[in-house]
Amino acid sequence: FLHGANALNQDLGRHLKLGQIIWQTKSVPNTNFFSWTEPDYPFINHHWLSEVIFYGLYNLGGIKILIVLTTLLALLSFFLIFLSLGHNQKRYFLLLGVVSILSIGLLSERTDIRPEVFGFLGVAFFWWILIKNKERLRWSFWLLLPAQLLWVNLHITFCFGLIIYFFFFLDRLWARRRQVYLLARREKKIDLFIALAALQGFFLLAISFLNPNTWRGVLYPLTIFRNYGYTIVENQSPFFLEKLMVNPSITIFKITIALLILSFILNFRKISFFNLANAVFFGVLSWKAIRHFPFLGLISLPVLVDNFYQFCESKNIIWRIWERLKIRKFFNFLTGIAIFVILIGGIYGVVSNQYFLRYQKGDYFGLGIPAGFSKATDFLIEQKITGRMFNNFDIGGYLIWRLFPEWRVFVDNRPEAYSKDFFQSFYIPMQNDPVVWRQLADEVYKIDFIFFAHTDATPWAENFLRYLATDKNWQLVYVDSSAAIWVKNNERFSSLIENFRLDREKIEANLENYLTDQDQRQLMSLALFWEKMGWLDLAIKTQERAWEKWPHSAKAALFLGNLYSQKENWSEAQKYFLTAIKLDKKWILPYELLGQTYYLQGNFSEARRIWENALKINPDNEKVKSYLDSMGLIPFVK
């Protein structure tokens, strides 16, 4: 969690601006007034209090204090979950250590400065309080009411508090039924417990209406995705994302799910409904969207420890056999060593930034504030480029922070703040189709300049950049490793174009200025931009500099090989594809591209060998199958 404020280039800028507006106006905006395209579209701000807190702390200590806040809230969430474990459960230290590592691995999926971190704390606090009051209601039980009041205004995950409490109530109701049969004389006392618990549930639901959007805010968790016209990464299934990226959290998720299933099977006679219901609920949520990994990580810690503790304490025959084995102590020793190595290795990986580099996280350990889009925004302000702006989804939040109210954005990264039709009929088609772009940009929206985060990896963004490279109606006047600015090639911007016009020859003459003081990821972003613009020689020179700084990156080697392949320099392309395979033997893409280079040279036997090796790694890869099938070498029957 203690890493650079990368979220500043995503959502954080908008959160700070909204916090400022709410603090100054003493009201919560309910329309999308940041945008000039849909300014009257209704918007429910479910995290307004988080934004006020962020803004207040930012005024006290800048971005760095927000990094510290996020880290402390995450630590506190984990600590509260740890406190919820019983004293006897903590005796199983090795079990607790292994499960804690899994929990931390899932929690680390979402480490940026976001209002969501208050949701982590809310889930942990509710869990801790409910476990403390599981057998007898104490005064701390009523702390859930002020906690819910805060949570409903801090983040949309307030609904998790209601759901966890509902599972708790059903669990206690079932326990009451059993105790009535066993201890009939205590029926009145047990009824009082259930009555107070039911009353608390009613209060929790009622207090949730105390938000600026009242009943709409309470129902918003059920309706927010009805108007999502744009797909974002965190809402995707881990099984979809693992085909596109290498993410260790996905592997940890699979292990956690498997252990949860195993723990309930082993402990099937003493299954806690509360544990089972929460495990199923957060497991299903995480199965559907990777953004829920931290919540599964938090609740899986007490659930797994409790299940395995109950299994061990039940003296099950499997456990009795295990306890009698002399080799058990040796395995315990190995487990302790493994926990130690993982923790030390993990700490080193993060502090040395090897973890961030290996998994393309885009972060650095410490309290750094990335430059991001700041230089491009400074250029826009200094040159007084005004008019109607077209920008892409990724950069919208930052532009709101820096430019509002003098400039308004075309779009920002809140799918729920725009109509579904806006994304599907305008925003995406404008980038995918040059004809649609000319019609909408010139006749409908009358766009004056383009401010684009060229790191956008969507297919439509790539299509758009390749089209802009050939469109003489737009002139590139600024580019850095993160963003580029084009202006309309007309009389209004003639002076600006004369002074700052950029083309391949001008950039090539000053290429060293673009490469100096850039880290490996910034260099790779620049190389990708040159490639999209069709400037392959510049892309190769830039990527070679990145490779010098990053010689252990399979991704960097693959990209350099792909650039040489486009230049039909087969020997260099093959060299770097082979290097990428050597660095990551399980990555299919280098095999695909290496096979293509041999195929294009007419070396079909070598192409076949490479693709068959790829199928040994992933027998279900349809692309490689189609390559081999098209060569008529092997049949595939659906």
Side-chain angles (χ1 to χ4, degrees):
F1 280 85
L2 197 68
H3 62 72
N6 196 49
L8 188 61
N9 298 322
Q10 302 166 4
D11 300 324
L12 181 56
R14 187 189 68 250
H15 291 319
L16 292 173
K17 179 59 68 173
L18 273 168
Q20 177 187 6
I21 292 171
I22 294 169
W23 180 260
Q24 292 174 348
T25 64
K26 304 300 185 291
S27 63
V28 180
N30 54 16
T31 59
N32 183 19
F33 61 89
F34 288 135
S35 166
W36 63 267
T37 52
E38 293 198 318
D40 298 321
Y41 195 81
F43 170 65
I44 293 179
N45 190 336
H46 57 80
H47 42 238
W48 68 271
L49 184 56
S50 296
E51 292 167 337
V52 172
I53 293 172
F54 284 170
Y55 174 68
L57 291 175
Y58 171 75
N59 284 335
L60 291 175
I63 298 295
K64 293 182 179 180
I65 199 172
L66 297 180
I67 299 174
V68 174
L69 170 71
T70 302
T71 305
L72 292 178
L73 289 178
L75 286 171
L76 180 58
S77 301
F78 183 84
F79 181 61
L80 289 177
I81 287 292
F82 189 86
L83 283 182
S84 71
L85 301 174
H87 177 71
N88 290 330
Q89 293 172 333
K90 293 174 186 175
R91 289 191 293 110
Y92 292 87
F93 176 76
L94 294 180
L95 169 64
L96 184 55
V98 172
V99 176
S100 294
I101 289 173
L102 296 176
S103 176
I104 293 167
L106 291 175
L107 193 62
S108 65
E109 172 59 29
R110 308 277 289 172
T111 59
D112 285 324
I113 306 169
R114 290 187 173 98
E116 186 179 35
V117 72
F118 291 104
F120 303 166
L121 184 61
V123 166
F125 184 77
F126 263 60
W127 192 282
W128 176 53
I129 291 294
L130 292 176
I131 295 300
K132 280 186 66 174
N133 292 271
K134 185 176 181 180
E135 302 301 332
R136 182 170 62 89
L137 297 185
R138 300 174 174 87
W139 67 269
S140 61
F141 185 65
W142 305 102
L143 290 177
L144 294 180
L145 293 176
Q148 183 69 7
L149 178 60
L150 288 172
W151 196 357
V152 74
N153 292 287
L154 286 167
H155 195 250
I156 196 171
T157 50
F158 74 89
C159 60
F160 292 166
L162 297 175
I163 291 168
I164 291 172
Y165 187 84
F166 179 65
F167 292 154
F168 170 81
F169 178 76
L170 292 182
D171 178 80
R172 293 298 86 200
L173 193 63
W174 174 252
R176 166 195 175 276
R177 181 182 175 188
R178 293 183 63 191
Q179 290 180 23
V180 165
Y181 287 111
L182 296 175
L183 300 170
R185 59 189 178 83
R186 293 180 56 191
E187 183 175 353
K188 292 183 179 180
K189 186 175 182 180
I190 298 170
D191 280 344
L192 178 62
F193 182 104
I194 295 301
L196 290 175
L199 185 64
Q200 172 82 307
F202 172 78
F203 286 154
L204 285 172
L205 180 60
I207 210 168
S208 299
F209 285 82
L210 299 180
N211 69 84
N213 301 289
T214 59
W215 64 271
R216 292 183 181 87
V218 173
L219 296 179
Y220 199 46
L222 303 176
T223 61
I224 184 173
F225 292 114
R226 292 182 182 177
N227 184 49
Y228 251 57
Y230 197 82
T231 301
I232 55 179
V233 172
E234 55 259 41
N235 288 338
Q236 301 307 304
S237 163
F239 301 99
F240 170 76
L241 291 177
E242 70 178 347
K243 299 175 184 177
L244 306 176
M245 63 178 70
V246 179
N247 188 338
S249 297
I250 295 176
T251 302
I252 294 173
F253 163 72
K254 292 179 179 179
I255 295 172
T256 302
I257 291 295
L259 285 177
L260 282 169
I261 294 173
L262 176 63
S263 71
F264 283 112
I265 292 174
L266 292 176
N267 196 43
F268 71 97
R269 291 184 178 178
K270 292 188 176 183
I271 287 179
S272 161
F273 174 81
F274 181 66
N275 286 346
L276 178 62
N278 279 288
V280 171
F281 176 72
F282 287 105
V284 170
L285 285 183
S286 299
W287 196 284
K288 291 184 176 181
I290 199 170
R291 72 182 312 152
H292 298 120
F293 275 14
F295 300 101
L296 176 65
L298 287 171
I299 70 100
S300 65
L301 173 60
V303 171
L304 283 172
V305 171
D306 185 53
N307 278 350
F308 283 117
Y309 165 76
Q310 294 290 347
F311 170 74
C312 296
E313 291 296 305
S314 67
K315 301 302 179 183
N316 183 285
I317 186 172
I318 299 175
W319 181 251
R320 289 202 299 268
I321 294 173
W322 167 251
E323 282 189 315
R324 292 170 185 170
L325 292 177
K326 293 183 179 180
I327 201 172
R328 178 173 62 90
K329 291 184 179 181
F330 176 69
F331 277 111
N332 287 346
F333 173 75
L334 289 182
T335 304
I337 292 296
I339 292 172
F340 178 79
V341 169
I342 291 171
L343 289 176
I344 296 300
I347 292 169
Y348 172 78
V350 171
V351 173
S352 67
N353 292 314
Q354 294 299 315
Y355 166 75
F356 300 120
L357 290 171
R358 172 68 177 83
Y359 296 108
Q360 302 290 310
K361 292 289 186 178
D363 300 315
Y364 289 103
F365 174 74
L367 301 176
I369 302 172
F373 307 121
S374 60
K375 292 181 180 179
T377 310
D378 291 340
F379 178 85
L380 186 78
I381 296 171
E382 291 166 3
Q383 301 306 319
K384 300 178 181 177
I385 303 175
T386 58
R388 293 192 167 191
M389 172 173 59
F390 178 83
N391 64 276
N392 54 332
F393 183 88
D394 292 350
I395 203 173
Y398 183 87
L399 295 179
I400 287 171
W401 180 50
R402 288 292 308 278
L403 301 178
F404 185 84
E406 287 78 10
W407 286 265
R408 294 176 188 259
V409 297
F410 185 88
V411 67
D412 68 90
N413 43 357
R414 294 173 299 168
E416 70 274 19
Y418 297 82
S419 65
K420 191 173 183 178
D421 185 61
F422 170 78
F423 286 108
Q424 299 299 321
S425 302
F426 297 92
Y427 176 71
I428 294 176
M430 286 176 74
Q431 297 175 71
N432 260 334
D433 191 338
V435 176
V436 175
W437 165 257
R438 284 193 292 269
Q439 178 188 1
L440 294 177
D442 295 339
E443 300 173 16
V444 178
Y445 289 120
K446 303 185 187 308
I447 292 168
D448 295 300
F449 67 96
I450 301 167
F451 197 126
F452 209 84
H454 60 71
T455 52
D456 189 335
T458 59
W460 44 89
E462 294 194 10
N463 292 338
F464 184 59
L465 290 176
R466 296 185 192 281
Y467 163 68
L468 276 181
T470 62
D471 189 346
K472 295 182 179 180
N473 292 318
W474 295 92
Q475 179 58 56
L476 180 67
V477 294
Y478 179 88
V479 66
D480 61 26
S481 60
S482 300
I485 299 175
W486 288 262
V487 295
K488 196 71 178 289
N489 199 351
N490 56 24
E491 185 62 28
R492 176 183 176 184
F493 294 110
S494 58
S495 177
L496 181 72
I497 292 172
E498 183 180 352
N499 293 329
F500 296 98
R501 177 176 178 270
L502 294 175
D503 55 24
R504 187 183 64 80
E505 290 76 16
K506 192 170 182 180
I507 290 175
E508 187 172 22
N510 297 279
L511 183 60
E512 193 59 35
N513 294 334
Y514 288 94
L515 306 187
T516 303
D517 298 327
Q518 302 288 313
D519 66 29
Q520 54 269 32
R521 282 174 291 202
Q522 292 170 326
L523 289 167
M524 192 166 179
S525 294
L526 271 175
L528 280 165
F529 179 70
W530 307 144
E531 188 267 340
K532 292 169 187 173
M533 297 293 287
W535 305 337
L536 291 179
D537 290 334
L538 294 180
I540 289 173
K541 290 178 182 178
T542 303
Q543 185 58 20
E544 283 178 338
R545 183 73 62 86
W547 175 247
E548 290 175 8
K549 293 189 174 187
W550 206 2
H552 304 296
S553 167
K555 185 175 181 180
L558 176 84
F559 181 43
L560 193 50
N562 190 38
L563 291 173
Y564 276 117
S565 179
Q566 292 181 60
K567 293 283 290 184
E568 297 187 2
N569 187 338
W570 305 121
S571 61
E572 287 296 304
Q574 289 163 9
K575 180 180 79 173
Y576 284 107
F577 288 146
L578 287 169
T579 301
I581 290 172
K582 183 179 179 181
L583 291 170
D584 190 345
K585 293 181 174 61
K586 295 185 178 180
W587 192 15
I588 293 294
L589 190 54
Y591 291 91
E592 292 179 18
L593 297 178
L594 179 60
Q596 287 179 15
T597 63
Y598 287 120
Y599 182 86
L600 292 171
Q601 294 177 84
N603 191 345
F604 301 125
S605 61
E606 191 64 17
R608 176 183 182 181
R609 185 183 69 82
I610 295 297
W611 286 334
E612 285 181 340
N613 286 340
L615 284 184
K616 290 178 183 177
I617 299 169
N618 183 2
D620 298 322
N621 190 293
E622 295 297 330
K623 196 175 225 181
V624 175
K625 284 182 180 180
S626 68
Y627 290 156
L628 290 169
D629 197 27
S630 65
M631 295 174 72
L633 297 173
I634 55 174
F636 290 100
V637 181
K638 296 260 183 186

